[in-house]
């Protein structure tokens, strides 16, 4: 078995804004696993300043090469040793699935949400209109960066045109609300039949987040809060303390496919819902996440997943993956 590593930089069609900043390009490392008979490719794509395994590029490649050497020698992924390196683990998991029958020739259709990135009020309004025109029945708005009254007006505009029976609204604050303002803002947003809001305040404030999950008039989902919590005991402890309505899982951030399965199983035990999203991967990573999503939730998924980011890059990798209406199709 031989594993090679190749770096590639992708460029966004338009800047992707969150409350943490704006992305204009995306760096990934691709691991190619070959045994002389079959070849598998996986994407390792940490997010700077967010992933728990984000590090300077030279160091990242050195650590990744070390894990690849172990896989070459043993033929097995060292899962326990890689718990703290989720983006690397996800890439190797994807590449090592090359021989599994469900990866080849299996057509998958998954409902997804339309994602409206942060921008000026006018930009967000235009993007929102585009998603609705494309036929999305679930729209997710990034909030927390521009004036809150303008964000509230965007939400109001959707509800004036579409009832909650027609369009499901999700919000993602990326930790953008201040703790002393969060509950008030959530109360204002709740009048517009919001499905949920992700990460209203910054992570690692368990007591404050637990209060919000208890008192807020709309369901709260955790995303960044899960990053770096990589053992099953720590996952269970956090969920029992905070008690969110949902968790939102990204394999590149939250433990690879192995770690996300663990999160989902523990969340189910605690009566907590979940869905899966991509984390700005190329079509290689997106295709792998879609297959993983179908493996975890079954072929008849009804809850929209967050798998629509494959259209972001000017120089994406061609894959048998396509968005038709509000569904992602891949094989």
């Amino acid at each position: 078995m031989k594993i090679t590593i190749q770096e590639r930089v992708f460029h966004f069609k338009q800047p992707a804004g969150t409350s943490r900043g704006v992305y204009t390009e995306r760096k990934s490392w691709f691991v190619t696993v070959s045994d002389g008979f079959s070849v598998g490719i996986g994407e390792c794509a940490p997010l700077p300043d967010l992933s728990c395994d984000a590090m300077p590029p030279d160091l990242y490649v050195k650590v990744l090469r070390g894990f690849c050497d172990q896989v070459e020698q043993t033929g097995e992924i060292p899962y326990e040793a890689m718990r703290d390196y989720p983006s690397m683990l996800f890439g190797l998991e994807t590449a090592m699935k090359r021989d599994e029958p469900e990866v080849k020739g299996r057509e998958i259709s998954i409902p997804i949400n339309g994602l409206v990135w942060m921008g000026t009020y006018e930009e967000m309004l235009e993007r929102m209109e585009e998603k609705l025109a494309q036929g999305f029945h679930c729209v997710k708005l990034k909030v927390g960066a521009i004036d809150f009254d303008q964000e509230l007006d965007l939400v109001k505009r959707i509800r004036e045109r579409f009832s909650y029976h027609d369009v499901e609204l999700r919000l993602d604050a990326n930790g953008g609300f201040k703790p002393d303002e969060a509950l008030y803002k959530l109360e204002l947003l709740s009048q517009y039949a919001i499905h949920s809001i992700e990460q209203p305040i910054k992570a690692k404030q368990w007591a404050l987040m637990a209060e919000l999950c208890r008192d807020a008039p709309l369901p709260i989902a955790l995303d960044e809060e899960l990053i770096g919590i990589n053992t099953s005991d720590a996952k269970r402890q956090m969920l029992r303390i905070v008690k969110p309505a949902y968790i939102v899982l990204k394999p590149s951030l939250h433990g690879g496919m192995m770690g996300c399965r663990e999160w989902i199983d523990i969340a189910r035990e605690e009566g907590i819902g979940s869905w899966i999203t991509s984390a700005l991967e190329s079509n290689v990573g997106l295709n792998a996440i879609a297959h993983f999503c179908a493996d975890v939730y079954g072929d008849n998924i009804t809850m929209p997943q967050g798998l629509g980011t494959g259209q972001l890059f000017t120089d994406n990798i061609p894959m048998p993956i396509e968005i038709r209406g509000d569904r992602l199709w891949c094989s």
Side-chain angles (χ1 to χ4, degrees):
M1 180 182 295
K2 181 175 178 59
I3 303 177
T4 59
I5 303 171
Q6 182 179 15
E7 179 184 314
R8 181 159 175 173
V9 177
F10 298 95
H11 301 88
F12 285 88
K13 294 177 181 177
Q14 57 188 23
T18 76
S19 60
R20 293 184 305 273
V22 178
Y23 294 106
T24 58
E25 62 180 33
R26 180 79 163 99
K27 184 177 292 186
S28 294
W29 286 267
F30 290 87
V31 290
T32 301
V33 178
S34 174
D35 59 7
F37 299 97
S38 59
V39 176
I41 299 175
E43 181 175 6
C44 305
L47 283 168
D49 302 319
L50 185 62
S51 300
C52 64
D53 58 352
M55 57 189 78
D58 290 348
L59 180 57
Y60 188 89
V61 173
K62 180 179 179 181
V63 175
L64 177 58
R65 183 69 257 173
F67 287 128
C68 290
D69 290 345
Q70 291 184 53
V71 176
E72 284 182 339
Q73 294 167 11
T74 66
E76 302 289 338
I77 295 174
Y79 283 102
E80 290 303 315
M82 295 190 73
R83 278 187 177 272
D84 293 335
Y85 303 91
S87 67
M88 300 182 196
L89 176 56
F90 175 60
L92 281 170
E93 285 176 312
T94 302
M96 292 290 284
K97 288 173 74 69
R98 67 199 183 284
D99 292 325
E100 295 185 15
E102 70 267 19
V103 177
K104 297 182 178 181
R106 178 186 178 190
E107 188 173 55
I108 292 171
S109 172
I110 299 173
I112 61 173
N113 61 244
L115 178 61
V116 176
W117 288 96
M118 287 180 177
T120 65
Y121 176 82
E122 291 74 18
E123 288 171 340
M124 292 182 70
L125 180 60
E126 181 181 356
R127 293 167 190 168
M128 181 181 71
E129 295 286 355
E130 288 175 358
K131 295 302 178 185
L132 295 174
Q134 289 167 9
F136 281 95
H137 294 92
C138 177
V139 178
K140 175 177 167 180
L141 292 172
K142 293 277 189 177
V143 298
I146 65 173
D147 179 73
F148 179 72
D149 289 337
Q150 291 185 318
E151 292 174 339
L152 198 63
D153 186 60
L154 281 171
V155 174
K156 181 182 178 182
R157 279 173 176 259
I158 298 178
R159 277 293 169 252
E160 286 176 345
R161 289 180 53 196
F162 301 94
S163 76
Y164 70 92
H165 296 294
D166 299 317
V167 174
E168 179 179 282
L169 274 179
R170 296 177 180 175
L171 305 178
D172 184 0
N174 287 122
F177 294 166
K178 295 179 181 178
D180 59 348
E181 300 174 349
L183 185 58
Y184 173 67
K185 290 182 176 180
L186 296 182
E187 288 172 345
L188 292 177
L189 289 165
S190 68
Q191 64 187 307
Y192 299 112
I194 305 299
H195 171 272
S196 58
I197 183 167
E198 295 177 38
Q199 205 67 43
I201 62 174
K202 290 182 180 178
K204 303 186 187 305
Q205 303 179 86
W206 289 8
L208 292 173
M209 188 68 83
E211 288 181 14
L212 278 181
C213 289
R214 183 192 66 210
D215 299 336
L218 72 166
I220 290 176
L222 301 185
D223 181 355
E224 288 92 339
E225 198 72 64
L226 314 181
I227 297 172
I229 302 177
N230 297 323
T231 67
S232 58
D233 288 345
K235 292 172 183 179
R236 185 171 284 104
Q237 179 188 31
M238 189 277 288
L239 292 180
R240 286 181 174 176
I241 291 172
V242 179
K243 294 182 174 63
Y246 301 98
I247 56 174
V248 184
L249 295 161
K250 299 177 174 69
S252 290
L253 291 177
H254 301 135
M257 290 183 265
M258 178 273 291
C260 285
R261 284 186 187 275
E262 198 171 67
W263 273 115
I264 291 166
D265 289 342
I266 294 171
R268 282 173 176 163
E269 293 171 9
E270 300 297 324
I272 295 167
S274 65
W275 67 86
I276 293 171
T277 80
S278 50
L280 306 182
E281 293 89 356
S282 75
N283 280 338
V284 172
L286 183 61
N287 187 67
I289 296 170
H291 279 271
F292 172 63
C293 189
D295 290 342
V296 170
Y297 296 129
D299 290 333
N300 297 314
I301 300 171
T302 57
M303 175 178 280
Q305 308 292 303
L307 305 179
T309 56
Q311 300 174 313
L312 292 176
F313 304 118
T314 60
D315 45 6
N316 213 330
I317 296 174
M319 291 284 289
I321 191 166
E322 181 184 4
I323 294 177
R324 300 179 217 155
D326 65 350
R327 299 187 75 88
L328 179 79
W329 293 79
C330 65
S331 58

